[in-house]
Amino acid sequence: TEKKIKLINNEVQEFVNAASECNFDINLHYQRAIVDAKSFLGVLSLGLSKILTVSYGGNDGNFEQILRKYAAA
């Protein structure tokens, strides 16, 4: 599954915490860079205020709620 999100500085921690609670892999993509969405520094390394692609292969209600909250228009 892939979704587009946009994070600003104070939202990164909430996103990483929600991703870390999932028992499946979650990656964030920006252009050619791919990072583990469970890594705070990895997410920050992609830069803030950019539209990022989240890819994952599992299902978690709380994580889905966070994705809806930060969905890019």
Side-chain angles (χ1 to χ4, degrees):
T1 306
E2 287 193 352
K3 305 247 172 130
K4 302 277 189 194
I5 64 166
K6 188 173 184 181
L7 300 171
I8 57 173
N9 194 33
N10 57 346
E11 299 168 340
V12 173
Q13 188 64 51
E14 181 182 20
F15 175 80
V16 170
N17 287 345
S20 295
E21 293 174 9
C22 298
N23 62 355
F24 47 87
D25 290 337
I26 305 169
N27 292 315
L28 271 179
H29 310 260
Y30 181 74
Q31 295 178 345
R32 292 189 207 170
I34 301 171
V35 299
D36 184 348
K38 299 177 184 183
S39 166
F40 185 76
L41 291 177
V43 174
L44 286 179
S45 74
L46 291 178
L48 300 173
S49 300
K50 296 177 182 172
I51 295 178
L52 307 172
T53 302
V54 183
S55 61
Y56 57 100
N59 188 17
D60 182 86
N62 183 52
F63 185 64
E64 293 286 339
Q65 185 176 353
I66 294 294
L67 289 177
R68 283 190 295 276
K69 182 177 179 180
Y70 298 127

